[in-house]
Amino acid sequence: MLSHRHFKNWYSDLPNRPDGLVNLVYLAGLTFCFLFFGVSLIASAQTPSESSCIACHKLLDGELLAPVTAWKNDVHAHTGLGCESCHGGNPSPQVAEDPDAAKSRAAGFIGKPSRKNIPALCGKCHSDPAMIKKYNPALPTDQLATYRTSQHGQRLFQQGDEKVAVCTDCHGNHGILAANDSRSSVYPLNVPATCGRCHANADFMAGYSIGTDQVADYEASVHGEALLRKRDIAAPACNDCHGNHGAIPPEVKSISHVCGRCHLNNADLFAKSPHAKPYEEMGLAQCEACHGNHKITKPTDARLDPNSNEFVCANCHEPDSEGWKNGTEMFAILNEMKSKIHTADSLVSRAERAGMEVSEAKFIISAADDELIKARTQIHNYRADILRERAQTGIGLADQAVEFGRAALAELQFRRKGLAVSMVIIFAVAAALYMKIRRRDQEWK
């Protein structure tokens, strides 16, 4: 061990040493040693010792070691919380080798919390605005209150059913990640699989009188296609319709409100439609009656085609009834718009391929396409007379584009004819010149 006296004796003897370079190297080495050991001592003094929980569980294996491994990435660990925050006990490193002291009931040790107590345990912090404000002011603090209103919470607290989902079933326990972390089990792309762990498990769900095909249906739906395959996190997952902490099946009369959170115009039109009141009186499931629920496929115009198996009006209306005729008329209006737009697009495309300037006509066709989309939305009012009135703008634009296309093709024909006449004249003049030159040549000879 280097001491101050050793360094003092050596330094005082330095002028008497024969080799100055060797002395310099020796001095540099001593300086490095002092710096290295000094920094090491400072670093070791600043590094917090492991808690008694971590120190003990690191020596175990299997499911008793797993919490230590998972805890490294846990969002709570990153905020400075420790095992004792949930499990209680004495985390002091001094009691790491004394399990009785570390797991002292006097220190509040509760061990593994029961499933029924988990919501209250998490809610101890997550329902406390003052506590949450210290870590993430944007995080809501009503999770426990809304959970109590959910199907899960009602069955847990009122019926004592501990099979239902509690906080840890969806969020995990020792490896909890922030909801916006793509690895989190509650990240939008992962929500269907998280819900499906229980709801797609026929054995687990036995006795609940709930089907287990929701996840498979959702994956086949237009929403599942957007979220799971196109990775569009704006597409709805289970919790967007059912809620997350307050998950509950939407009531029949509130389905249009649920769908209307995204499909605003459709919901507004349905509320003003002649279907709204009878649907409510008859207990029909509003949007679901035509579109289904989990397996919502991309809607097509064929749903208004009386000759198609998809004709949804036939679900409630008899042939030749007013409702049947109304659906048929709406299908005819859409077909008329599509036919005119198709004709305009065909004419304008031909003119463009021939080199004509058609940018204005293409802009008009694009506007007509927008009107067709609006007309399809207008269907949710279920009134053919209003649809006919609203479709006139699109039909008029399509007619205008057709005229543009025909005019462009007529101009093309005119130019071609003019070119042909010009070519004939040029050929005739050239032939005349040729004949004139030959005649002159013969005269000279």
Side-chain angles (χ1 to χ4, degrees):
M1 186 73 180
L2 294 172
S3 66
H4 176 265
R5 188 178 61 182
H6 177 266
F7 181 76
K8 184 178 179 181
N9 293 339
W10 174 86
Y11 188 80
S12 59
D13 191 44
L14 183 61
N16 302 322
R17 292 178 180 268
D19 191 337
L21 180 60
V22 172
N23 292 334
L24 183 61
V25 172
Y26 187 59
L27 177 61
L30 278 176
T31 304
F32 173 78
C33 292
F34 275 118
L35 290 174
F36 176 78
F37 287 112
V39 170
S40 299
L41 287 172
I42 293 171
S44 63
Q46 292 179 342
T47 303
S49 301
E50 292 178 332
S51 71
S52 59
C53 315
I54 300 292
C56 182
H57 276 262
K58 281 177 67 175
L59 304 176
L60 305 175
D61 53 17
E63 62 178 9
L64 295 177
L65 173 63
V68 177
T69 306
W71 183 245
K72 295 176 183 175
N73 293 323
D74 194 291
V75 67
H76 299 103
H78 294 166
T79 60
L81 298 177
C83 312
E84 73 282 1
S85 302
C86 295
H87 297 282
N90 184 355
S92 173
Q94 283 70 36
V95 298
E97 297 182 0
D98 185 352
D100 291 336
K103 299 192 291 184
S104 168
R105 295 291 176 183
F109 182 73
I110 63 171
K112 182 179 180 180
S114 68
R115 290 181 61 79
K116 189 172 184 179
N117 291 332
I118 287 176
L121 179 63
C122 299
K124 186 176 64 176
C125 294
H126 284 276
S127 297
D128 184 349
M131 169 68 80
I132 294 300
K133 188 177 180 181
K134 297 177 185 176
Y135 302 101
N136 185 357
L139 200 64
T141 53
D142 61 348
Q143 296 96 329
L144 179 57
T146 53
Y147 176 80
R148 290 182 184 280
T149 67
S150 72
Q151 282 287 306
H152 299 139
Q154 291 178 30
R155 294 190 69 91
L156 179 69
F157 293 124
Q158 298 174 16
Q159 302 176 29
D161 181 0
E162 297 193 11
K163 281 183 65 180
V164 297
V166 296
C167 315
T168 51
D169 293 308
C170 299
H171 294 276
N173 38 41
H174 300 102
I176 298 173
L177 301 173
N180 60 1
D181 189 317
S182 62
R183 300 168 299 168
S184 169
S185 54
V186 293
Y187 186 69
L189 294 176
N190 303 326
V191 166
T194 298
C195 298
R197 284 205 299 261
C198 295
H199 285 276
N201 186 330
D203 293 334
F204 187 85
M205 296 302 295
Y208 284 106
S209 302
I210 300 175
T212 54
D213 55 358
Q214 298 95 330
V215 175
D217 284 350
Y218 173 81
E219 290 175 349
S221 74
V222 66
H223 296 141
E225 170 74 18
L227 180 69
L228 302 177
R229 281 176 281 284
K230 296 181 180 178
R231 318 292 284 181
D232 178 4
I233 60 173
C238 316
N239 58 321
D240 291 299
C241 296
H242 294 279
N244 34 43
H245 301 102
I248 192 169
E251 296 180 2
V252 168
K253 61 182 180 182
S254 66
I255 287 178
S256 67
H257 299 306
V258 174
C259 301
R261 291 174 58 196
C262 297
H263 303 281
L264 302 177
N265 292 332
N266 303 28
D268 184 54
L269 288 167
F270 179 86
K272 298 174 182 175
S273 76
H275 279 162
K277 187 176 180 181
Y279 268 44
E280 183 175 351
E281 293 175 348
M282 298 168 64
L284 295 177
Q286 302 177 339
C287 314
E288 184 181 334
C290 295
H291 295 280
N293 45 32
H294 300 105
K295 195 175 185 178
I296 298 172
T297 56
K298 186 177 181 179
T300 65
D301 296 338
R303 295 191 179 188
L304 293 174
D305 182 0
N307 298 315
S308 168
N309 293 330
E310 299 180 34
F311 187 45
V312 292
C313 302
N315 294 343
C316 300
H317 298 282
E318 296 292 332
D320 297 327
S321 65
E322 287 302 316
W324 186 288
K325 292 178 181 177
N326 189 67
T328 303
E329 175 63 13
M330 289 195 293
F331 180 66
I333 294 169
L334 293 181
N335 270 350
E336 181 181 353
M337 290 186 72
K338 288 191 296 183
S339 175
K340 286 182 178 293
I341 292 173
H342 176 74
T343 300
D345 186 60
S346 176
L347 292 172
V348 171
S349 295
R350 280 175 54 197
E352 184 178 33
R353 287 194 297 272
M356 302 297 291
E357 164 56 38
V358 292
S359 57
E360 184 176 356
K362 291 175 70 176
F363 179 79
I364 294 173
I365 292 174
S366 178
D369 277 329
D370 291 341
E371 292 299 323
L372 177 59
I373 294 173
K374 293 178 183 176
R376 285 172 171 146
T377 301
Q378 188 65 40
I379 287 171
H380 295 89
N381 189 261
Y382 302 105
R383 292 183 59 180
D385 55 335
I386 295 180
L387 177 62
R388 171 65 70 182
E389 180 183 339
R390 302 291 168 80
Q392 289 310 306
T393 301
I395 292 174
L397 288 169
D399 285 340
Q400 191 178 351
V402 167
E403 291 304 316
F404 264 104
R406 286 174 176 166
L409 290 175
E411 175 68 16
L412 176 64
Q413 290 302 318
F414 176 78
R415 293 181 184 181
R416 285 176 174 173
K417 290 177 181 177
L419 178 62
V421 171
S422 299
M423 293 298 295
V424 170
I425 293 173
I426 292 172
F427 178 78
V429 171
L433 286 173
Y434 176 74
M435 296 300 296
K436 181 74 174 178
I437 292 171
R438 287 198 62 183
R439 190 162 54 246
R440 284 287 187 181
D441 287 344
Q442 290 175 355
E443 290 173 359
W444 289 342
K445 291 177 180 178

